[in-house]
Amino acid sequence: MKKLLLATAVLAMTAGLAAAQDKVVRLGTEGAYPPFNFIDDKGEVAGFEREFGDEICKRAALTCEWTTNEWDSIIPNLQSGNYDVIIAGMSITDEREEVIDFTQNYYPPAASAYVAASADADLKGNVSAQVSTIQAAYVAESGATLVEYPTPDETIAAVRNGEVQAVFADKDYLRPFVDESAGALMFVGEDISIGGGVGLGLRSSDTELKDKLNAAITAMKEDGSLNVLIEKYFGAEGLKF
Amino acid sequence: MLAACADPKGIEGLTWLTCYLTSGKHLDFYWSFGTVLLLLLVTAPSALLMGFGGAMAARSQIAPLRWIGKGYTAMVRGVPDIVYFLFFVIALDQGIEYVKNLMVCPAGSAWPWQGLEFRVCQEAKVPLASASQFAYQAYGFFLAVITFAIVFGAFVANVIYGAMQAVPRAQLETGEAYGMSHRQVFRRILVPQMWVYALPGLSNLWMILIKATPLLFLLGVKDIVYYARELGGTKTQAYDFPHADWRLYYFLGLLVFYLLMTRGSEILLGRVAAKLSKGQATAAGEAMRKAAI
């Protein structure tokens, strides 16, 4: 009886609280994948997905909070309820669809590319990729020796150190590094298109949230504001809808 | 931020460096040193307490209590730390939310563990989704302290258990001969004398604890190693302060920090050991007695 009373009291209190505030949607990102998402010099989440995420939250009338999580455990922590949406440049793939749900893509299926320190690099030798990415899966199947790193930054550092012959990653991520390397790094081989574009990841049970976000993304695609954002962060080479 | 830093790409040299080192992210980095020190300050006594309790349980006359004490040390010591840090924290977090779920969620809520997902109602989230970023960090820190205390407590328990066994039986018998009860012997003779035997093991554990703080990052608390890696990585023009791969310098800084911490601890622990050895019937105590003559 005592327990029941306590439970009712707590329930009444929190119910009042819950009514007073909107439901907060927590966005989980990696914060290490420019220009998609990164932690800027103020220590805040920035990049294409920051601006895009804030915009869809506004359109869907949601209160959103940003949080960062290691890439490696980003899906388990979504399922465990630490945040509600993954917004981390995550490509839509069949393997991931089995464990979580995706919205429609907000970045088109983009090219992945190899970057190496010399033009004659052996793409069947040691190739680095970030752990649990579509690129890592591709390298593993390509016959090359896959060397995995937890952060994208380390995959490029490995090329510079000579630990691997090449790095395989999203071309949009690699381009600034190649451009600013003063010729030390270069694209090698052909671009390869894998994945079904970048989408927001959600728990399979969150269908209501998924509908809201999908509607907001559709609206942004239709009025062209998504293309403007892509142009801003990815330049003229960024793929548009 | 300083006024001169308003346009980071237009400045050079020393001004650039000053601005760079005082950016918001660097200030977070400096604060994270405080986080690590605070963790050490809170964890060390809690682990000592856990360990003391564990050792007492392991020596208990009551069989179930003894099993708990022995089981605890055997379990935790036998499982790799990293497994504990990954599994235990998620289990603890879900456990807390499950209990809260029983209290605050509407009756008839679904069972929280649904396949791969763990689902409780909004009100049962810890902390609540609307809580500030600080609340999340504090909660992560709290989980970290509990996990560290449990893991290191097991090692401490073993050290203290061994130290209690090492106190010469003759000392305890003398107490008994004076008519002291079991409890009085424990409190007045065993505990004060065991520290000198426990200290080498405990100081070892303290050193390991200092070096284990990077595990904080596994728990989602951003510690100095996380920031060193994040700040040191190559920064393209997307950032205000682009630079090449500077991880080496950041990690060198950490090396100095950790060496200072461990060296300082060594000096301090050496003093404590000298103090505890005084008048003890150990080799160190005997050497001190002879030197004094």
Side-chain angles (χ1 to χ4, degrees), chain B residues 54-71:
Chain B
M56 269 169 60
R59 292 181 85 251
S60 170
Q61 311 277 342
I62 311 156
L65 208 58
R66 199 165 57 233
W67 296 332
I68 293 175
K70 298 236 177 191

Side-chain angles (χ1 to χ4, degrees), chain A residues 6-225:
Chain A
L6 182 76
T8 340
V10 175
L11 185 68
M13 269 164 59
T14 41
L17 258 168
Q21 75 213 357
D22 294 333
K23 184 179 179 293
V24 175
V25 175
R26 289 173 53 79
L27 309 176
T29 189
E30 184 194 10
Y33 204 53
F36 282 94
N37 59 74
F38 59 96
I39 309 289
D40 70 6
D41 292 279
K42 291 188 205 70
E44 282 164 16
V45 178
F48 166 65
E49 283 170 332
R50 172 70 202 243
E51 207 164 318
F52 167 74
D54 285 345
E55 180 65 27
I56 52 165
C57 285
K58 205 173 86 189
R59 287 181 187 232
L62 300 165
T63 318
C64 293
E65 285 270 350
W66 288 87
T67 180
T68 51
N69 196 89
E70 275 281 82
W71 172 258
D72 207 10
S73 60
I74 208 161
I75 290 181
N77 273 324
L78 172 78
Q79 289 167 330
S80 174
N82 291 359
Y83 36 81
D84 307 303
V85 179
I86 295 177
I87 172 164
M90 185 178 273
S91 292
I92 302 166
T93 65
D94 293 342
E95 287 85 2
R96 289 177 183 147
E97 290 264 29
E98 280 170 21
V99 286
I100 58 172
D101 256 19
F102 282 100
T103 61
Q104 58 172 308
N105 58 16
Y106 56 87
Y107 193 75
S112 298
Y114 287 97
V115 161
S118 69
D120 57 350
D122 177 15
L123 300 183
K124 298 272 175 248
N126 292 336
V127 175
S128 63
Q130 189 183 10
V131 67
S132 317
T133 55
I134 49 172
Q135 286 84 11
Y138 180 86
V139 171
E141 279 176 17
S142 72
T145 310
L146 171 66
V147 184
E148 286 182 309
Y149 291 90
T151 63
D153 182 57
E154 285 165 296
T155 61
I156 296 184
V159 176
R160 290 209 168 100
N161 301 340
E163 282 171 51
V164 294
Q165 269 87 32
V167 48
F168 187 56
D170 270 326
K171 196 167 185 183
D172 292 306
Y173 170 72
L174 294 171
R175 197 176 295 116
F177 287 91
V178 173
D179 290 347
E180 293 170 28
S181 70
L185 295 176
M186 62 203 74
F187 285 112
V188 180
E190 282 172 18
D191 292 355
I192 291 145
S193 192
I194 43 177
V198 173
L200 299 170
L202 299 132
R203 284 183 291 274
S204 311
S205 55
D206 269 350
T207 46
E208 195 189 331
L209 182 61
K210 183 177 163 180
D211 293 342
K212 276 187 193 168
L213 295 174
N214 265 332
I217 297 173
T218 307
M220 280 188 79
K221 278 180 178 170
E222 277 170 1
D223 67 11
S225 55

Side-chain angles (χ1 to χ4, degrees), chain A residues 6-7 10-11 14-15 17-18 21 23-24 26 31-32 34 38-43 65-68 70 77 79-82 84 98-99 150-151 153-154 157 160-161 176-177 180 203-205, chain B residues 1 20 23-26 28 90 93-94 97 102-106 116-119 122-123 125 128-131 133 136 217 222 226 229-230 232-242 245 247:
Chain A
L6 182 76
V10 175
L11 185 68
T14 41
L17 258 168
Q21 75 213 357
K23 184 179 179 293
V24 175
R26 289 173 53 79
F38 59 96
I39 309 289
D40 70 6
D41 292 279
K42 291 188 205 70
E65 285 270 350
W66 288 87
T67 180
T68 51
E70 275 281 82
N77 273 324
Q79 289 167 330
S80 174
N82 291 359
D84 307 303
E98 280 170 21
V99 286
T151 63
D153 182 57
E154 285 165 296
R160 290 209 168 100
N161 301 340
F177 287 91
E180 293 170 28
R203 284 183 291 274
S204 311
S205 55
Chain B
M1 203 185 245
Y20 174 65
S23 69
K25 210 171 177 181
H26 272 87
D28 289 346
I90 291 179
D93 182 34
Q94 296 191 348
E97 289 189 354
L102 291 181
M103 295 202 306
V104 301
C105 284
L116 292 165
E117 293 178 16
F118 176 78
R119 215 160 50 226
Q122 277 291 314
E123 296 86 51
K125 289 268 180 225
L128 289 170
S130 54
Q133 205 62 31
Y136 271 90
F217 183 56
K222 289 174 182 162
Y226 163 80
R229 196 176 70 177
E230 170 62 32
T234 313
K235 296 282 177 286
T236 57
Q237 292 294 335
Y239 293 85
D240 284 344
F241 301 94
D245 192 346
R247 280 180 299 172

